[in-house]
Amino acid sequence: MATYVWDYRREYENERADILDAVDTVFRSGRLILGESVRGFEEEFARYHGVRHCVGVDNGTNAVKLGLQALGVGPGDEVVTVSNTAAPTVLAIDAVGAVPVFVDVDPATYLMDPRQVEDAVTERTRCIVPVHLYGQMADLAALMETAGRHGLRILEDCAQAHGARREGRLAGTTGDAGAFSFYPTKVLGAYGDAGAVITSDGTAEGHLRRLRYYGMEDRYYVVRTPGHNARLDEVHAEILRRKLRRLDDYIAARRAVARRYAEGLGGTGLVLPETAPGNEHVFYVYVVRHPERDRILEALREHGFEFNISYPWPVHTMTGFAHLGYGTGDFPVTEAAAREIFSLPMYPSLPQGLQDKVIAVLREILARG
């Protein structure tokens, strides 16, 4: 059965010469680990964001984990976040020994509801991790006010928001640090796992560099624990350097796809994405909503379409997080969304003909009721 949610192959054909040259550049460099490609990407990604530092790591989960550790979050601390996210956000909090504390989300944008964060703060709270979900940013102005009142750190989870802005500021540049994933499907994606943390905090940057490299500053000498083997690979870094130059083009293409969906699916009964005031959406995914989601997905399968749900199970309902003590009914907005949302195909090289077919099939299914 065909799956059309994401496909990199058309983009690869368009960029093949540059991607292969990136690989060849690394292989001919004589340095395969933490060489010029990693340094170059870190400098260029930091410059793109207007921050002082970028530290490349091996994946987005470790970007959150090491970001938390670099900000001083550890065992017994509480970290306020959302259940409407990919599980790795919460796994990273758990991995540093901290306790995830969930709040519900805004029903229109599915982003962290800042009004609930204040009530979630206790004397053990150390950090807030807002998730910039689906391609737009949480309300950082409100969250910064809460963090300031309580002396909390903010680590932005930017895995789905490369290049997104709120009130003119890029994702990852308002809080103490921003964690990014470059998983292949992302707005800026590598050809495998990769990640990074950006910050203007020099102390946090130093911790990050040690954390990703066994706790070492010099080879073979550990100066601080914990330490990890969490280095960004040279090949992925060089590919990301090339693709970073095209990031704004990728975003423009995604927005064009989103506009065609909005034009083609308006008035059908689908709840289409809503951009929060002040946000510049980059449409990592195009999430729609309908109370008869499962019927619609089954009808789509009959037409050869298999679409994704981001996300079908709120984290607090998963058995792997039962130890946190939450249960069904605790976060009704998140749970209602999980029953009704699904994602339409969204990537820069999505053929317009395929998108037109998706729109036509959806309109037919929705018209049948």
Side-chain angles (χ1 to χ4, degrees):
M1 182 175 292
T3 300
Y4 295 109
V5 174
W6 177 77
D7 191 329
Y8 69 92
R9 289 171 294 183
R10 190 171 186 227
E11 178 181 291
Y12 173 67
E13 289 302 323
N14 293 335
E15 301 179 358
R16 183 173 182 271
D18 195 30
I19 299 302
L20 295 181
D21 183 68
V23 174
D24 190 60
T25 295
V26 172
F27 287 175
R28 290 178 180 273
S29 71
R31 184 74 179 269
L32 299 178
I33 301 293
L34 293 182
E36 179 56 36
S37 292
V38 169
R39 285 193 295 272
F41 173 71
E42 290 175 338
E43 292 171 0
E44 291 156 19
F45 199 63
R47 189 180 310 124
Y48 179 90
H49 288 89
V51 298
R52 293 180 179 178
H53 311 290
C54 169
V55 179
V57 296
D58 55 344
N59 57 65
T61 307
N62 274 338
V64 177
K65 177 184 174 183
L66 272 61
L68 289 168
Q69 290 178 313
L71 295 178
V73 178
D77 293 333
E78 291 181 350
V79 177
V80 180
T81 191
V82 291
S83 180
N84 184 38
T85 184
T89 303
V90 186
L91 289 167
I93 297 169
D94 186 71
V96 304
V99 180
V101 175
F102 297 122
V103 297
D104 217 338
V105 296
D106 180 270
T109 63
Y110 316 118
L111 300 166
M112 175 180 274
D113 185 346
R115 296 168 298 182
Q116 299 190 29
V117 175
E118 183 76 33
D119 291 337
V121 173
T122 73
E123 62 182 14
R124 294 172 57 194
T125 306
R126 186 64 178 270
C127 186
I128 303 170
V129 177
V131 179
H132 300 323
L133 200 68
Y134 303 152
Q136 65 173 327
M137 294 172 59
D139 185 352
L140 283 173
L143 295 174
M144 290 290 286
E145 288 183 9
T146 300
R149 282 195 298 274
H150 296 282
L152 307 178
R153 311 304 294 270
I154 290 183
L155 175 66
E156 301 175 50
D157 184 339
C158 307
Q160 300 189 9
H162 310 71
R165 296 176 185 267
R166 189 177 184 110
E167 305 298 344
R169 298 198 65 166
L170 282 162
T173 66
T174 301
D176 296 283
F180 290 82
S181 167
F182 304 116
Y183 185 75
T185 63
K186 303 300 185 184
V187 179
L188 178 62
Y191 277 71
D193 278 314
V197 183
I198 62 172
T199 184
S200 288
D201 183 330
T203 300
E205 183 245 358
H207 290 335
L208 284 163
R209 295 200 182 280
R210 287 186 291 270
L211 284 164
R212 76 165 178 190
Y213 190 55
Y214 310 111
M216 297 178 182
E217 287 183 352
D218 296 311
R219 291 182 68 187
Y220 307 126
Y221 191 92
V222 174
V223 297
R224 180 170 176 168
T225 59
H228 310 276
N229 178 3
R231 301 167 297 213
L232 175 61
D233 182 83
E234 275 287 289
V235 171
H236 291 317
E238 186 61 34
I239 290 172
L240 287 167
R241 290 182 77 179
R242 311 296 180 93
K243 296 188 73 175
L244 178 58
R245 301 164 194 164
R246 297 187 283 270
L247 176 55
D248 291 340
D249 293 334
Y250 297 151
I251 292 170
R254 286 175 177 273
R255 287 172 175 157
V257 172
R259 284 194 297 272
R260 290 199 296 271
Y261 277 135
E263 292 165 1
L265 294 172
T268 61
L270 278 181
V271 177
L272 304 181
E274 182 174 318
T275 301
N279 265 342
E280 297 176 37
H281 208 311
V282 296
F283 295 99
Y284 166 59
V285 286
Y286 194 89
V287 173
V288 297
R289 183 170 183 170
H290 196 282
E292 298 181 38
R293 187 265 311 277
D294 293 344
R295 175 188 69 81
I296 294 167
L297 289 180
E298 182 57 36
L300 284 164
R301 291 186 191 102
E302 293 173 2
H303 285 83
F305 293 100
E306 185 76 31
F307 290 170
N308 194 38
I309 301 172
S310 301
Y311 298 94
W313 299 287
V315 174
H316 73 278
T317 67
M318 298 179 184
T319 57
F321 297 101
H323 63 283
L324 298 176
Y326 295 104
T328 301
D330 286 342
F331 303 104
V333 179
T334 293
E335 293 167 28
R339 292 190 295 268
E340 297 181 355
I341 60 174
F342 62 103
S343 303
L344 305 187
M346 170 57 76
Y347 48 97
S349 59
L350 177 67
Q352 186 166 345
L354 177 56
Q355 186 179 10
D356 289 342
K357 183 178 178 182
V358 169
I359 291 169
V361 169
L362 267 172
R363 290 188 68 88
E364 176 188 336
I365 293 169
L366 291 163
R368 291 202 302 262

